[in-house]
Amino acid sequence: MKITSTLASIASMVWQAQTADEARTTLVEHLAGTNVKDRDKMIEDVMGLRTLEAIQRYTANALLKYEGLGTGK
């Protein structure tokens, strides 16, 4: 059984989204029902992003930060 974090599973859906609205909705709906660290701030940040690319970049950066995948530890 492979366990995937909430953020990682959301990320794949965001990258498959065709529009900014679809990506934003995916992120907000999935984050709202979780206990992800800084969830409320993430939702607020995503609501302010206007392009699909910006939302995808934000998601990738969130994975780096919250999943410990970044180099700035």
Side-chain angles (χ1 to χ4, degrees):
M1 178 176 174
K2 183 180 177 187
I3 298 174
T4 303
S5 74
T6 299
L7 205 50
S9 63
I10 294 170
S12 63
M13 290 184 272
V14 170
W15 284 96
Q16 293 173 6
Q18 298 296 312
T19 66
D21 287 336
E22 182 183 346
R24 186 180 305 105
T25 300
T26 297
L27 268 170
V28 171
E29 286 180 356
H30 283 82
L31 285 173
T34 68
N35 291 323
V36 171
K37 183 179 175 184
D38 294 333
R39 174 191 69 208
D40 294 336
K41 181 185 179 328
M42 292 175 71
I43 290 172
E44 182 180 328
D45 290 345
V46 168
M47 293 305 290
L49 300 174
R50 299 291 170 227
T51 67
L52 178 59
E53 294 79 13
I55 296 169
Q56 290 171 334
R57 185 173 41 254
Y58 182 89
T59 304
N61 287 336
L63 271 174
L64 293 173
K65 179 178 180 179
Y66 295 108
E67 298 293 326
L69 301 173
T71 59
K73 277 196 159 188

